[in-house]
Amino acid sequence: MTTEILHEHAQPKREFVTPSANALIRCEALEKWYGSVHALTGIDFHAEPGEIVGLVGDNGAGKSTLIKILSGAEQQTSGRIFFDGKEVRLTSPKVAMHLGIETIYQYTAMVPQMSIARNMFIGREPLTGFRIGGIGLMDQRAMVEHATRSMTNIDLTRRSPNTTVEELSGGQRQAVAIARAMYFKSKLLILDEPTNHLSVKETNKVLDYVASLKEQGIGSIFISHNLHHIYPIADRIVAMARGAKIADIRKTDTSIDDMTDMIV
Amino acid sequence: MNSIAKALLSRPEISALVMLILVIIGFSLYAPQFLTYANMRVTFFAFPELGIVVLGVGILMIAGEFDLSVGSVFALSPLVMVIAVGRWGFDPFVAIAIGFLVALFVGYLNGWITLQFSIPSFVTTLGMMFMVRSVAVVLSGGFPPPFPVDFPIGIFVADLGLFRASMLWFAGFAVVLAVMLHFSNLGNWIYATGGQPQAASDMGINTRRVKLFCFMLCSFLAGFAGMVTTFRLKSALPALGEGVELQAIAAAVIGGTSLMGGIGSVIGFIVGTGLIRVIDNGLVMARIDANWFKFAIGALTILAVILNMWVRRRARAMH
């Protein structure tokens, strides 16, 4: 027990990386209770524009809870969230997406039976003029056109945008999800274990896409229970355990061995 | 060539259409009376009454839910309408509106109970099937109430020669719903909700509202079809529409609708309904014991699902 506590405090709180003045997203003292379970115990978290933050921790550490709050799927019990310098209330995924926070889940937020073009625009379909209460005809030509262009970005040129997603491999699906986020000009991309169930080759490809987002100034939060997956591309590693942050350290200030020691 | 084959294979309603054409050719060879004007009239009279129900049931299935209560709504909705005029003295048009409200209310209940308690709609609507039928029988006292003469029957079932006005209503519903399902953003939400509910809600779609809408649409159309039948028979039978729910699901499935949600098309609903109606009529015309009808529909349903599974796997394998 004592050793565990020692390990958890391997990095003293005062050494945690602090957010800059123009942080992309910044959370203060986020707390989440599920009934009597304290899933998040007042966590500070941030990501800078163009920064890749690796979020690691065991199952039950609170990673998913934090991500659900940031993607709008759930709301914090207390604490504040600032996005682009303004305080925001992420009451639904739609609100978060509208701000520019896009989440890519391990199962991919794709509908297998639907075409790539239709998948790209689920819930955000471009409409042609006439509409009643938000319901109208989809601009299918624009959808196919934009999908085709986005697919070029991810080297999916040999596929038609009318292909159903179920015909794509796991890695290709994640690529389409990333392309979708890029198309909608997301500012922050949350990737929840996106490389689970993927082959090594496909994992590397997905990591490449994420790294390329950096050049466009898009911030990413990359969640994984495998430090080795995210270490190569992360700028900063945040480790969680039992609903608290136990490390927040720049990659340049540490090594993968030190990191492993710290969180395991 | 390969891509054409693939496009055809990935559309399950195509195989149903081929089957429909084969069945029509078969019956017309076997029973010379089959393709006559008089017989086509008979088939076209019966077609929309099932077809309108199938539109609703099929769209609800695409959204990932079932409705087994449509047969009971098919009876209750027109029954209340008739009683509203005969017993309660309402204006016929108001009575029609009341009939629709009854259907919409049952649909709302189906959806609300299913979503609120997260139970399978199969169970909710099975229960509702019994409850609604019971209300219809109790309300009528077991006998059809007197049918008032002042209903605007012509609007729904006027004889137009080859078909009745009900066919035009069916065509209207089919076109509007096809546009909604295949070309509107609402249609995209319905497919997404049925195909992968988690993905749909993660992308910001209110899947509850989408499903509730589909439940109410389905029930409304069942009520409408029941009214059409009632106007044609000029009698509101409390036992009307028994078994319609299973025929409607069979029609949707034969037309390529997936039982898992996310797959289906209005063309498929029409072809599926057509197959059921043609087989029903063709057996009679071919002087085959009409009791084989249910056997044929049953076999066709099983065959359609097996075929669609196989075809889909083939289409996926073709890159």
Side-chain angles (χ1 to χ4, degrees), chain B residues 276-287:
Chain B
I276 288 189
R277 279 283 140 260
V278 165
I279 289 174
D280 188 10
N281 173 267
L283 289 178
V284 176
M285 298 315 286
R287 297 174 191 280

Side-chain angles (χ1 to χ4, degrees), chain A residues 202-221:
Chain A
E202 289 203 315
T203 299
N204 289 337
K205 225 165 181 181
V206 170
L207 294 180
D208 281 346
Y209 294 135
V210 176
S212 70
L213 297 178
K214 197 178 156 69
E215 291 148 25
Q216 304 173 38
I218 300 172
S220 316
I221 303 172

Side-chain angles (χ1 to χ4, degrees), chain A residues 8-169:
Chain A
E8 282 198 4
H9 294 277
Q11 190 193 19
K13 273 206 168 86
R14 60 191 150 74
E15 286 180 18
F16 286 175
V17 178
T18 50
S20 74
N22 53 0
L24 184 56
I25 192 161
R26 178 162 60 88
C27 317
E28 280 177 7
L30 277 191
E31 270 194 71
K32 177 71 182 177
W33 288 88
Y34 292 105
S36 61
V37 178
H38 208 181
L40 283 184
T41 59
I43 197 166
D44 295 338
F45 179 85
H46 73 279
E48 305 286 346
E51 185 185 37
I52 301 177
V53 181
L55 183 59
V56 291
D58 254 329
N59 291 337
K63 302 185 304 255
S64 322
T65 308
L66 177 61
I67 288 328
K68 278 181 193 151
I69 291 171
L70 294 185
S71 61
E74 281 178 20
Q75 281 72 53
Q76 69 268 30
T77 313
S78 67
R80 303 163 76 186
I81 302 172
F82 299 85
F83 190 75
D84 256 353
K86 282 187 281 291
E87 180 160 9
V88 289
R89 296 195 50 225
L90 305 174
T91 47
S92 77
K94 211 161 196 167
V95 171
M97 279 173 10
H98 195 74
L99 285 169
I101 303 173
E102 187 97 9
T103 310
I104 294 174
Y105 298 89
Q106 51 174 303
Y107 63 85
T108 78
M110 294 272 159
V111 183
Q113 303 92 325
M114 285 165 64
S115 72
I116 297 176
R118 278 182 170 236
N119 260 292
M120 288 233 357
F121 293 94
I122 294 175
R124 290 179 286 195
E125 296 84 358
L127 300 181
T128 56
F130 178 76
R131 67 194 70 183
I132 314 167
I135 308 292
L137 296 182
M138 294 186 290
D139 189 349
Q140 304 212 21
R141 243 181 58 195
M143 286 166 66
V144 167
E145 245 166 57
H146 292 309
T148 310
R149 214 170 310 149
S150 291
M151 284 162 69
T152 320
N153 291 341
I154 52 168
D155 303 324
L156 213 58
T157 45
R158 288 176 54 213
R159 291 287 194 165
S160 146
N162 294 318
T163 316
T164 54
V165 164
E166 65 190 345
E167 293 175 50
L168 300 180
S169 73

Side-chain angles (χ1 to χ4, degrees), chain B residues 47-61:
Chain B
F47 179 87
E49 291 167 17
L50 177 62
I52 291 172
V53 180
V54 175
L55 290 175
V57 167
I59 291 174
L60 183 62
M61 279 173 72

Side-chain angles (χ1 to χ4, degrees), chain B residues 164-228:
Chain B
R164 284 176 184 261
S166 52
M167 188 60 106
L168 298 180
W169 282 99
F170 170 76
F173 280 129
V175 168
V176 169
L177 294 175
V179 169
M180 180 200 83
L181 195 58
H182 301 302
F183 300 103
S184 82
N185 51 349
L186 176 60
N188 216 37
W189 303 344
I190 292 173
Y191 279 104
T193 298
Q196 179 71 264
Q198 184 67 49
S201 63
D202 284 341
M203 296 313 293
I205 293 173
N206 189 335
T207 54
R208 276 181 65 102
R209 261 171 61 188
V210 169
K211 284 189 173 181
L212 200 58
F213 167 77
C214 292
F215 271 112
M216 291 175 72
L217 175 71
C218 175
S219 204
F220 168 81
L221 290 172
F224 190 97
M227 286 183 191
V228 167

